[in-house]
Amino acid sequence: MKRRTFVGGFLAVAGLAATGCSTGEGVDLSGGQADFGNPTTGPVLRVAIGGEPDQLDPHSSSAYFTFQVLENIFDTLVQPDENLQMQPSLAESWEISDDQLTYTFTLRQGVSWHDGSPFTAEDVVYSYTRLIDEELSNAYKLAAVSEVTAPDDHTVVITVSQPTPSLLTNLGGFKGLAIVQRNNVESGQIANTPIGTGPFYLAEYASGDRITLRGNADYWGEPVTLGSVEISFISEPSTALAALRSGEIDWTDVVPPQTVEELRRDESLVLESLQSTDYWYLALNLKKDPWSDVRVRQAIAYAIDRPSILQAVAYGTAVENQLAIPETSPWYTPYDTYRLDLDRARELLAEAGFSGAPMELLATSEYPETVVAAQVIAANLAPLGITVQISQPDFSTWLDEQNQGNFDLLMMGWLGNIDPDDYYYSQHHSEGGSNAQGYSNPEVDELLDAGQVEVDVEARKELYARAATIIADECSYIYLYNPSVVQTWLPEVSGYTARADGAIRFGPVTLQES
């Protein structure tokens, strides 16, 4: 997970977001509350998400549950619209130099922080400098940045060391690169009482129970009509759905996948289900024998029954995919090499001299789909003489085990991806920060390096298509599927839009009071 090894990433999974997302480094959030801000008046939107933030500093977290909250508190310089194209946010316009090395942003005027202090270009310089100098968890997104300056209060100039076609996506793709306030950081309060420029500000945090966001009457964007958003943490999908049906909450994304078809027919609720930008995968530990032999990895890929896994974990709401990028993306590459074929699997194992071995599959109880999928995979691999032992630690332990290489096979996901670099570089480049499986191929490295600087879209697409195909052929990851974003709410809620990147934005929402 990493950013997004969520499942993850990022988001970690259904949130890890994550990101790739991870649970990050936890912070004591109890008692967090703020009395700053100019509140709106209006109804309370009651929301349930699947878990609790680890902290509220966007530069230090990589947890999906954290970013579900921060999406409504912080702003970025640019931000993706519903089609995942970058649009103005705190920057109202920008220019890129002919040599693609200088980005000049003109900032929106009249923006203030939640505590009433003015937002200026120095805040942008401080935010990016902090990420880079302190090597925080999302600093890799700024690896090509060589200088950030503020010629005046409303202009920011970013200089990059090489053409970087993913820069705008990196700056706005998720709130890990949010613009933060220096005083809030240096006081240490950002971890539990963040000050942003977004449509809501934190009013109260009751650890283990809920977080309350108050509407920001001074928000620079579309006026907020909600008085507040009360976010509860409900990990059990059936409990969340029951709360929605009883009217205890108004919105949730904690939905039992087996109920999706039923919910489509339920006129008392609104259901949105759309293809996400996330993906789920298997990774074998290439640093350990016999998994270091590509023929053994390919044999496992031929033994995996993807349709059975999809049915078990997603009940038809996910789409099988053998590469990372979903078919809905302009960067999609067709690929369908691996189909269930035990005869081919046995041939490959015989060529590799493999006669059977036990395997530990690292899943995690915090993402139940990994455990369910692991049970299917164990049954799939038994005919090959592979006895699968399923390990189910909590997610923080899962991350430690992954990072220390204590696994044979693991399952996880990455979420919130937009640019093709998000899907492949960190995970499969020899020097990638999330290459826990230990994959290394000089040709793939060269292709991924070239993809980071190629500004011609078609040429760039060819680079990533070639890299992705090699990665799949050599089973650096064994890709399984792209899940869907599934969210449901009461008809009294209007103005909300489900998004492929999983970001939940309540700023435009209105609520009809009963």
Side-chain angles (χ1 to χ4, degrees):
M1 304 187 164
K2 337 132 184 206
R3 154 163 104 132
R4 306 159 25 135
T5 287
F6 82 122
V7 159
F10 344 77
L11 237 136
V13 183
L16 237 200
T19 346
C21 298
S22 72
T23 56
E25 184 177 350
V27 168
D28 181 6
L29 295 166
S30 58
Q33 61 180 35
D35 56 7
F36 52 67
N38 181 16
T40 57
T41 58
V44 178
L45 180 72
R46 300 158 302 170
V47 166
I49 61 175
E52 187 168 3
D54 60 337
Q55 59 171 303
L56 297 175
D57 179 351
H59 291 179
S60 298
S61 180
S62 57
Y64 179 63
F65 297 136
T66 296
F67 288 106
Q68 286 188 294
V69 175
L70 298 186
E71 186 71 36
N72 299 284
I73 294 177
F74 286 98
D75 290 310
T76 43
L77 206 55
V78 297
Q79 64 179 351
D81 62 15
E82 296 167 25
N83 298 315
L84 305 183
Q85 299 299 306
M86 291 302 137
Q87 303 295 338
S89 182
L90 291 176
E92 62 181 4
S93 64
W94 56 89
E95 295 180 353
I96 305 173
S97 63
D98 291 341
D99 63 3
Q100 304 284 319
L101 297 180
T102 304
Y103 289 67
T104 302
F105 295 89
T106 300
L107 303 188
R108 193 179 301 277
Q109 299 192 35
V111 177
S112 60
W113 294 97
H114 292 151
D115 64 358
S117 59
F119 159 76
T120 73
E122 287 296 338
D123 294 311
V124 180
V125 175
Y126 171 75
S127 297
Y128 295 156
T129 302
R130 179 199 184 207
L131 277 159
I132 295 169
D133 289 352
E134 298 183 23
E135 299 181 352
L136 298 177
S137 62
N138 303 303
Y140 73 98
K141 291 283 187 180
L142 301 175
V145 173
S146 55
E147 187 177 36
V148 185
T149 61
D152 58 55
D153 282 351
H154 305 294
T155 305
V156 170
V157 178
I158 296 178
T159 306
V160 291
S161 58
Q162 59 188 15
T164 309
S166 63
L167 183 66
L168 291 178
T169 301
N170 290 346
L171 296 179
F174 83 123
K175 292 298 185 289
L177 270 72
I179 307 305
V180 299
Q181 186 196 63
R182 178 192 289 267
N183 289 341
N184 192 222
V185 173
E186 294 182 346
S187 69
Q189 295 298 304
I190 191 171
N192 57 18
T193 311
I195 294 175
T197 58
F200 297 91
Y201 64 87
L202 183 141
E204 183 182 9
Y205 196 128
S207 185
D209 183 18
R210 70 186 185 284
I211 186 168
T212 301
L213 307 180
R214 196 82 71 208
N216 174 17
D218 297 325
Y219 182 51
W220 56 266
E222 183 179 347
V224 179
T225 64
L226 294 174
S228 59
V229 178
E230 187 175 285
I231 302 174
S232 302
F233 317 125
I234 303 178
S235 60
E236 172 54 48
S238 60
T239 302
L241 184 57
L244 183 71
R245 281 180 157 152
S246 68
E248 295 176 42
I249 60 173
D250 305 299
W251 182 100
T252 188
D253 64 350
V254 190
V255 181
Q258 63 270 34
T259 65
V260 168
E261 289 306 314
E262 172 193 343
L263 292 174
R264 289 188 201 280
R265 300 187 295 270
D266 188 341
E267 295 182 354
S268 68
L269 299 175
V270 178
L271 177 81
E272 285 288 343
S273 175
L274 71 161
Q275 182 80 70
S276 79
T277 59
D278 311 340
Y279 69 86
W280 288 76
Y281 65 94
L282 297 171
L284 285 147
N285 191 339
L286 277 61
K287 301 173 185 175
K288 297 175 65 174
D289 292 331
W291 324 118
S292 59
D293 190 318
V294 66
R295 294 167 295 186
V296 175
R297 301 196 299 273
Q298 291 169 336
I300 291 172
Y302 279 111
I304 297 298
D305 185 356
R306 287 179 177 77
S308 294
I309 294 173
L310 265 65
Q311 180 60 32
V313 304
Y315 291 86
T317 63
V319 176
E320 179 180 340
N321 198 1
Q322 297 193 28
L323 298 181
I325 299 178
E327 190 170 359
T328 51
S329 168
W331 302 99
Y332 171 75
T333 298
Y335 182 95
D336 62 353
T337 295
Y338 300 109
R339 298 294 176 194
L340 180 59
D341 187 341
L342 288 179
D343 289 340
R344 179 59 181 150
R346 291 189 178 97
E347 290 175 1
L348 287 162
L349 293 179
E351 292 174 11
F354 179 87
S355 57
M359 167 191 286
E360 180 186 20
L361 197 165
L362 188 59
T364 169
S365 55
E366 291 187 38
Y367 294 105
E369 50 266 73
T370 66
V371 178
V372 174
Q375 294 166 343
V376 176
I377 292 165
N380 290 161
L381 299 186
L384 301 182
I386 300 174
T387 302
V388 176
Q389 177 183 351
I390 302 171
S391 177
Q392 304 179 46
D394 59 44
F395 190 55
S396 61
T397 303
W398 185 99
L399 283 169
D400 289 339
E401 294 291 281
Q402 175 203 238
N403 294 335
Q404 294 175 21
N406 294 330
F407 67 94
D408 295 313
L409 177 67
L410 59 78
M411 179 180 175
M412 197 40 75
W414 279 76
L415 63 88
N417 312 284
I418 297 178
D419 189 86
D421 188 61
D422 296 337
Y423 286 90
Y424 294 113
Y425 189 94
S426 181
Q427 305 93 319
H428 305 289
H429 193 283
S430 298
E431 298 179 359
S434 300
N435 186 357
Q437 73 277 21
Y439 180 68
S440 181
N441 181 315
E443 183 180 359
V444 170
D445 288 352
E446 184 176 337
L447 290 163
L448 296 179
D449 287 338
Q452 287 192 325
V453 300
E454 177 57 64
V455 296
D456 182 90
V457 172
E458 289 305 313
R460 195 165 185 244
K461 183 174 180 179
E462 291 179 8
L463 291 169
Y464 283 106
R466 177 60 181 152
T469 300
I470 297 172
I471 288 166
D473 285 346
E474 297 188 336
C475 298
S476 174
Y477 279 1
I478 298 173
Y479 296 100
L480 298 174
Y481 58 88
N482 302 113
S484 292
V485 171
V486 180
Q487 300 169 344
T488 183
W489 57 87
L490 299 180
E492 288 79 7
V493 176
S494 58
Y496 180 80
T497 302
R499 300 165 50 88
D501 60 0
I504 57 173
R505 298 179 180 177
F506 296 119
V509 168
T510 59
L511 180 64
Q512 178 182 345
E513 294 183 279
S514 56

